[in-house]
Amino acid sequence: MSHFVLAHGFTQTARSWSTIEQLVRSQLPDARTMAIDLPGHGDTEPPADDDLWASARRLVDRGGVGTYVGYSMGGRVALHAALLGSNAVQCLVLIGATAGIDDPAERETRRIADDALATRIESIGVPAFLDEWLRNPLFAGLTEAAARRSDRLRNTAAGLAASLRATGTGMQEPLWDRLGEITVPVLVLVGERDDKFAAIGRRLVDAIGDATFTSIPDAGHSVHLEQPEATVDAIIAWLSNSQR
């Protein structure tokens, strides 16, 4: 029986995976899916200074053994989970994810920007912040329905701000030098219009031993929301080839 553990992106919740879960079960009737709220999101408390390693341990503790699928922030958490050495991550799917910012100065600039963004969330509140966040060019491919704004509104300003300060990309320890330690099969998924993360994705594949790069047509950064059917088709086809 296949077991999928799903980790969402920043401002989303476990519910953002509902369409993916339905599609997986329609193709793999015996499959189990477990979408998990990451710290500071949905029904989970804000992180108590938890870094990405702590978030990864929480994810593994709840998810158990299976195929881990992470998008953006969730992809970074899932990547850390694969490096914990717990053997819980049997296969790994990274959607629009990165192994971190190499340059210390650039990383510090991003940390400062993340902190400023956290302060803005606290200042203007979640509804106004989401209006700004979803206007980001990264999300240009999202329709109003696919963006699931009503679900994102369940998040709190305190939770989102704490998440940014604890697990934002600016706080992430670069993992590029450790990617060779990953021995499980890895699928790197990107949207064909997401040039930035396509380049990062190819770099991930080059650094990981058993990794496959797949670009989803007519999609930007939020592949699983913009093209859920193509996303599930790509994951299942890859798993089938990996398990031969």
Side-chain angles (χ1 to χ4, degrees):
M1 178 187 294
S2 299
H3 176 54
F4 295 86
V5 181
L6 309 170
H8 60 80
F10 180 64
T11 79
Q12 299 179 5
T13 77
R15 296 180 188 178
S16 68
W17 293 103
S18 60
T19 300
I20 296 294
E21 292 184 279
Q22 292 167 8
L23 289 168
V24 166
R25 289 194 291 265
S26 71
Q27 293 198 41
L28 301 173
D30 292 333
R32 292 188 297 123
T33 61
M34 180 182 291
I36 294 174
D37 283 329
L38 295 176
H41 292 75
D43 298 323
T44 303
E45 292 295 316
D49 296 326
D50 281 2
D51 60 9
L52 283 159
W53 291 111
S55 294
R57 285 188 287 272
R58 290 175 184 269
L59 182 66
V60 165
D61 287 345
R62 289 194 58 193
V65 176
T67 295
Y68 280 63
V69 183
Y71 161 68
S72 198
M73 177 188 73
R76 294 187 293 112
V77 175
L79 185 59
H80 282 73
L83 289 166
L84 286 175
S86 68
N87 297 319
V89 181
Q90 294 182 322
C91 296
L92 177 64
V93 180
L94 301 174
I95 303 174
T98 180
I101 301 172
D102 297 286
D103 183 79
E106 290 182 17
R107 194 163 61 251
E108 176 62 9
T109 297
R110 177 60 182 266
R111 186 197 65 77
I112 292 171
D114 285 347
D115 185 64
L117 189 59
T119 299
R120 179 151 184 80
I121 298 170
E122 292 167 330
S123 173
I124 66 175
V126 174
F129 169 69
L130 285 177
D131 290 340
E132 296 179 354
W133 180 252
L134 292 172
R135 284 198 294 267
N136 188 311
L138 266 180
F139 309 121
L142 283 176
T143 64
E144 185 174 343
R148 297 176 179 263
R149 188 177 186 276
S150 61
D151 182 49
R152 297 176 196 249
L153 284 170
R154 297 196 301 117
N155 294 313
T156 65
L160 294 181
S163 174
L164 264 180
R165 292 187 176 117
T167 63
T169 307
M171 290 295 292
Q172 179 176 348
E173 167 195 355
L175 299 176
W176 295 104
D177 291 342
R178 294 194 57 188
L179 296 182
E181 299 174 24
I182 298 175
T183 58
V184 301
V186 179
L187 173 64
V188 176
L189 274 182
V190 300
E192 67 172 356
R193 296 195 300 267
D194 191 2
D195 294 338
K196 174 182 176 180
F197 281 89
I200 292 172
R202 292 190 184 280
R203 186 182 174 194
L204 285 167
V205 168
D206 288 343
I208 298 170
D210 182 6
T212 301
F213 178 91
T214 298
S215 177
I216 301 295
D218 196 27
H221 187 60
S222 305
V223 173
H224 65 305
L225 299 180
E226 297 176 44
Q227 298 293 342
E229 293 88 354
T231 297
V232 170
D233 287 346
I235 293 172
I236 291 177
W238 167 75
L239 278 175
S240 177
N241 289 330
S242 297
Q243 293 168 357
R244 285 178 181 173

